[in-house]
Amino acid sequence: MADVNDVVKEEWKEDTTAFQRVKSIVGGTYDGETARDIADRALVAESTARSHLEDLADDGFVERTSDPTSGATLYLRSWQSLVLEQARDMADQTDSETLLQKVNEMRERIRAFQETTGVDSPEDIAWNDTQLDEETIRTWKTTERNLSFAKVALALDQAGDIVDRQANA
């Protein structure tokens, strides 16, 4: 009987292109990996992975960095492409009025954290000897991150409206 993992890998290879597999693997890579490591996981030759990774880097989806010990080129998902992807998802799932309402709610929530603690950001807590539980700090940081994504989503939505109006003028 065939190993289920081998069967799944073969189906993945049959149903996707090498480029799709490389992009899928590097899409979840945030610490940096070599082309060889990505190739192994994407079921492609190292030269194929490197070629696709270079194309993805040129497109801004991937960042190149180097391993400080070996000097090897490492590839990781660019934060810009991640922010745009999250913002697009938000914009696709929510209308601009609701997005604006959510932005205002998150701003109020952050203001409440600031008023309660007397500091501007969760990173300032240690500097001011403010006592705050980990869950509250995590919630504050998540709210800040989501606010950033929502603001980008709102800007994308508004930019799209402007482009549509100009195209139809």
Side-chain angles (χ1 to χ4, degrees), residues 113-114 116-141 144:
F113 285 127
Q114 291 167 335
T116 302
T117 62
V119 296
D120 291 331
S121 72
E123 290 77 21
D124 294 338
I125 290 169
W127 293 105
N128 291 25
D129 292 328
T130 304
Q131 298 299 315
L132 205 57
D133 63 282
E134 287 299 315
E135 180 62 28
T136 303
I137 293 170
R138 190 173 20 263
T139 301
W140 189 350
K141 286 181 177 181
E144 285 183 331

Side-chain angles (χ1 to χ4, degrees), residues 38 67 81 156 158:
I38 292 168
D67 184 319
S81 69
L156 285 173
Q158 291 170 342

Side-chain angles (χ1 to χ4, degrees), residues 93-110:
Q93 296 173 13
T94 313
D95 61 87
S96 3
E97 187 175 313
T98 304
L99 261 176
L100 185 56
Q101 178 184 345
K102 289 187 180 296
V103 164
N104 289 330
E105 288 170 4
M106 286 185 275
R107 283 182 175 152
E108 283 303 314
R109 191 170 198 187
I110 289 170

Side-chain angles (χ1 to χ4, degrees), residues 47-157:
S47 59
T48 301
R50 182 171 283 105
S51 174
H52 292 316
L53 289 165
E54 288 299 318
D55 289 343
L56 289 165
D58 291 344
D59 290 343
F61 186 79
V62 170
E63 290 180 19
R64 294 177 201 92
T65 187
S66 62
D67 184 319
T69 55
S70 70
T73 300
L74 302 176
Y75 300 90
L76 64 148
R77 176 76 184 267
S78 82
W79 65 267
Q80 296 97 329
S81 69
L82 180 62
V83 168
L84 273 175
E85 182 179 295
Q86 294 291 323
R88 280 189 194 124
D89 287 349
M90 270 186 181
D92 290 346
Q93 296 173 13
T94 313
D95 61 87
S96 3
E97 187 175 313
T98 304
L99 261 176
L100 185 56
Q101 178 184 345
K102 289 187 180 296
V103 164
N104 289 330
E105 288 170 4
M106 286 185 275
R107 283 182 175 152
E108 283 303 314
R109 191 170 198 187
I110 289 170
R111 260 195 242 45
F113 285 127
Q114 291 167 335
E115 288 174 8
T116 302
T117 62
V119 296
D120 291 331
S121 72
E123 290 77 21
D124 294 338
I125 290 169
W127 293 105
N128 291 25
D129 292 328
T130 304
Q131 298 299 315
L132 205 57
D133 63 282
E134 287 299 315
E135 180 62 28
T136 303
I137 293 170
R138 190 173 20 263
T139 301
W140 189 350
K141 286 181 177 181
T142 300
T143 304
E144 285 183 331
R145 186 194 70 221
N146 290 342
L147 175 59
S148 296
F149 290 151
K151 287 163 68 176
V152 172
L154 192 56
L156 285 173
D157 188 59

